[in-house]
Amino acid sequence: MKRLIILCMAVVTAFPLWAATGLSDMKWNVLLGYNIGGTAPLSMPAQVRKLNSFTPVANPKVGVGACIPLQGNWGITTGVYFENKGLKAGITAKGYHMALVMDESEIEGDFTGRVDINVKEWMFTVPVMAAYHVSPKLTLKAGPYVSLLTARGFDGDAFSGYLRQDNPTGPKVEMADKNGKHGVFEFDENMRKLQCGVGVGADWAVASRLGLCFDFTWGLSPVFKKDFTTIKETLYPLYGTIGLTYQINK
């Protein structure tokens, strides 16, 4: 319930501005976009030796936005969007702390080998951003956002290597390739349901009603809950968006 209240408050902050300007002055638009980026630490840990693969997944972003005019060239942009921030990636690691399930048994320790990771974060997002109209065609914007996750997932495979249980010199557990006996992990329930962060972007009008949207969002809240310590690094969602906008009213 607290998460829903916080999400609603982000929308309510725009209401006084709507009342002051009048609904007739607001510019409404619909967005169809695509997110690309990653859920990652701010700096790559030494235990990650190589990025083997990075595969974009279905990361649509759709929704309705509004621009509320203020004085001069300034305004406020807000809206409600449904989106996914997901990825598939493969890394080679050495001494990377993991908690795995293998042969229906849980094991934890330092893993050396290959790791494939799948992330999904379906969410409703509400931004409240300051907008500056550089020209009739170009608008720059920046400000905070809040997201409420409706579906979440962080899982994968650890294979072609070994895990030292409990400590770097502990018992060695060998792991075959993905077709053989190897470890799997799933940390879905350890992910936060509420995210917040900041974003910057630009809107470019290419025709009377049609436009292009370029955004970048930086999550300030970690993906995992505070009490989750299996993955030592703090992971944040860092994503860019490119999309088409259609202005509903002129």
Side-chain angles (χ1 to χ4, degrees), residues 182-203:
H182 66 283
V184 298
F185 57 90
E186 182 181 300
F187 304 135
D188 302 6
E189 296 303 315
N190 302 110
M191 301 176 73
R192 295 176 185 265
K193 291 184 178 180
L194 185 71
Q195 295 182 359
C196 62
V198 294
V200 296
D203 295 332

Side-chain angles (χ1 to χ4, degrees), residues 39 58 61 65-66 74 79 84 87 125 150 183 228:
T39 299
K61 181 175 182 177
W74 289 96
N84 183 39
L87 66 87
T125 297
T150 59
F228 179 70

Side-chain angles (χ1 to χ4, degrees), residues 14-54:
F15 281 4
L17 297 171
W18 296 355
T21 59
L23 291 176
S24 60
D25 294 329
M26 295 174 60
K27 303 298 182 183
W28 295 88
N29 65 77
V30 292
L31 167 70
L32 175 60
Y34 180 79
N35 292 330
I36 186 167
T39 299
L42 298 182
S43 60
M44 194 63 69
Q47 291 84 356
V48 176
R49 298 304 175 93
K50 181 182 178 182
L51 178 65
N52 299 319
S53 63
F54 179 87

